Amino acid sequence: MVSDVKDILLVGVGGQGTILAADILSQVLVSVEYDVKMAEIHGMSQRGGGVSTMIRFGSKVFSPITEKGKADYVIAFELLEALRWSDYVKPGGVMIANTERIEPLPVILGKAVYPNDIEEKIKAKGINLITIDAAKFAEQAGTKKAANMVLLGCLAALMPIGKEAWYGYIERRVPSKTIEINKKAFDLGYEIISTTASMV
Amino acid sequence: MKVLLTGNEAIAHGAYAAGVTVACGYPGTPSTEILESLAKYEDVDASWAPNEKVALEVGIGASLAGARALVTMKHVGLNVAADPLFTLAYTGVNGGIVVITADDPGMHSSQNEQDNRHYAKAAKIPMLEPSDSSEAAWLIEKAFTISERFDTPVLLRTTTRVNHSKSLVDASDERVQKEPSYEKDPQKYVMVPAHAQKRREVVESRMAALADYAEEFPGNRVEWGDRQIGFITSGISYQYVRETFPEASVLKIAMINPLPKRMITDFIDHVERAIVVEELDPYIEDQIRGWGLTVEGRNYIPGIGELNTEIIREALNEEEIEAPVEDVKTEEMPQRPPMLCPGCPHRGVFYTLSRMKLIVNGDIGCYTLGVMPPLNAMDSCICMGASIGNAEGMHKATGRKDIVAVIGDSTFVHSGITPLINTFYNQDPTTTIILDNRTTAMTGRQGHAGTGVKLQGENTKPLDFEQLTRAIGIESVQVIDPYELKEVRQALEEAIAQDEPSVIISQRPCLLVERSKNGPLMVTADNCIGCKVCLRLGCPSISWKDERAVIDTASCVGCGVCAQLCKSDAIVEYTQPDKGAGI
Ligand code: SF4
Ligand code: SF4
């Protein structure tokens, strides 16, 4: 019995909109009739801690949890979190990392240092790393806050699901006033990857 | 229609479908969202109770009156509710009653890692355990049926991974309709010794009947595969086993108490090796061994923390497994600990407590984060409501007066009132600080008796903490604004000096409940002398760049606490650079 299950991780810092992006992603997967399981670690995320969501889909999914070294895609909303979760990317897998740096308290207090060579470290592991300044593209779309949609767009471009399905769930999930901005941000992310996909 | 639901949403949906009309609980991760999801239905009376014991007592009342009732809590909450639960096992029910115990293996957000399966055995009541959302929705309906058929409360045990993971559920809107009916029956419902002695026998014969039922219960099933290894498992561990060993035979148990003895015996007879895979205590394994059967499990599977597929694979694979590439030493990376929010009203109090070097007995809530550096303002934290009693005990032991208890508003209502009465009665001169931020913040901003808003949105009359503490008899009661550091310090100095118990009510709404109307502050680099005093607050909005403090104007809420610390007036109101402010 060969399992066709694929694993996607969305990781970041509380307040970056990872959970919303993960919700949209899993709804889209359900709409194209996959069995889907999703595991969240939240709880204290509102208080500046790390957040991670694991999404597994295929014809039949048992465990909701992704093992280290097994994720097909890891989308990191913050650079240090990208490094922290890089052990989860499978050999030859893809990591999309936002270049935003959010310093954790130990760094601010001078008790720890924010590493400077994160990208090199991740690449040295043989991971296909794509870095994106998501805030820049989100600003082009209308607001920095839509950075999560830029990153979702990046992921969508790697998946065999038409754009319309994504639009549908974005429309349902974001405040009506911001639908166009969010869709634009999603499109910008989608284009970046479509044009650089040969890298992957 | 198939929808993606968390285990908690699935339980709420299933309970609604089962005709639950009264639901009560106390918020606690990972159980909180069950009641919040149920509260959305108009024909359910869903409410938060001051604590789990009261929640169960409300549920019992509803059940006796004939309604189906759901009671929710996290694992440690069952310790609080254990008292009525054990006697409820004797009285039995009228309308079905199901109590959720949401265990937290791995302690994602709990102070201990107890395995509440033992409660089912100790209280002599049935327990069911789902392994994903769809099973959760199905089992909660079964739980109500069992409750009424066997005249017993039923425990439904979940774990964090089931509560907070999403999977597909077949969700229809059908709902069982039940007319409540009540008949007076003191022999059954009034547990004076003479009545209870008779009910004691009923409890035993009920468990015997349930043991027979367990053999045919459709949630207990064998999935035959390769018979070299047969796994006996339940809950989320079942999913990990199926994922890791897709070819193996599996006995999946959904009824945790009583266990299906004949079914298990038969399964063990038909496989070469039987291995129990279960999280935390060897609960199933010990019972099987107790029947004199040979079974493995704890010799491979760790008993501390959450399981996952990796742990199970590594524990059970005799062959060498290729270790995953781990070039990144995550333990050497900067951690990202949770912290008090920018502008959190508790920060000023903790800052002052820490500067005054007082002994601080803490409690359960957001404010437990006052233990984190740079505040380091906490000496103890045991369980909900413990801080006030702990402080009193410390005083009794040492005679010191510089001992304080901090307790949140919700926790105070939960179980802080009784120890405060004790402190008053004994006249132990400790200081209790009620950190009143008008909400139960840690679990996601639930209301409580002090907030004036009920779970289903209606307004109600809020409890007045000042009047309450004065009514207890405490005379030294001060109400302060935690944003005013001088006021905080003065109040503390005054309270510590007293020879009798004192209370300080620190009042400011949580920022997640009431957005600040103040604009952000900023640091004028020219004035900043780089003394780092403002960094001692541990406000996430203040960071350190190029030998100067910097305030992130996007997250700063302008509480002004840092400005009160800066001796060189470097922290001022934020002005847009282009609007010109001499910078
Ligand atoms: S307290 Fe004032 S002077 Fe000292 S580092 Fe902070 S901003 Fe600068
Ligand atoms: S005013 Fe100072 S302490 Fe308050 S939120 Fe802003 S930076 Fe933090």
Side-chain angles (χ1 to χ4, degrees), chain B residues 55 79 83 91 182 267 295 328 334 362 385 387 430 447 472 487 492 557 578:
Chain B
N79 301 336
D83 199 4
T91 62
Y182 171 71
F267 182 76
V295 77
V328 180
S387 60
T430 58
I472 285 174
E487 202 179 317
L492 271 166
V557 303
D578 53 348

Side-chain angles (χ1 to χ4, degrees), chain B residues 478-558:
Chain B
Q478 306 177 70
V479 181
I480 59 160
D481 177 354
Y483 278 175
E484 300 299 328
L485 290 181
K486 280 209 184 87
E487 202 179 317
V488 177
R489 182 148 198 141
Q490 253 169 23
L492 271 166
E493 278 168 357
E494 200 181 312
I496 299 299
Q498 305 282 334
D499 287 322
E500 54 190 68
S502 56
V503 168
I504 296 173
I505 303 168
S506 162
Q507 234 164 23
R508 262 280 170 184
C510 169
L511 281 152
L512 301 174
V513 169
E514 205 173 300
R515 288 249 149 250
S516 162
K517 290 173 203 79
N518 300 346
L521 303 188
M522 65 174 190
V523 178
T524 44
D526 286 350
N527 282 9
C528 174
I529 52 167
C531 66
K532 290 194 172 180
V533 166
C534 56
L535 291 181
R536 287 186 199 151
L537 281 174
C539 174
S541 296
I542 311 177
S543 59
W544 190 246
K545 286 225 169 60
D546 305 326
E547 301 305 304
R548 292 289 175 267
V550 191
I551 291 179
D552 169 33
T553 47
S555 59
C556 168
V557 303

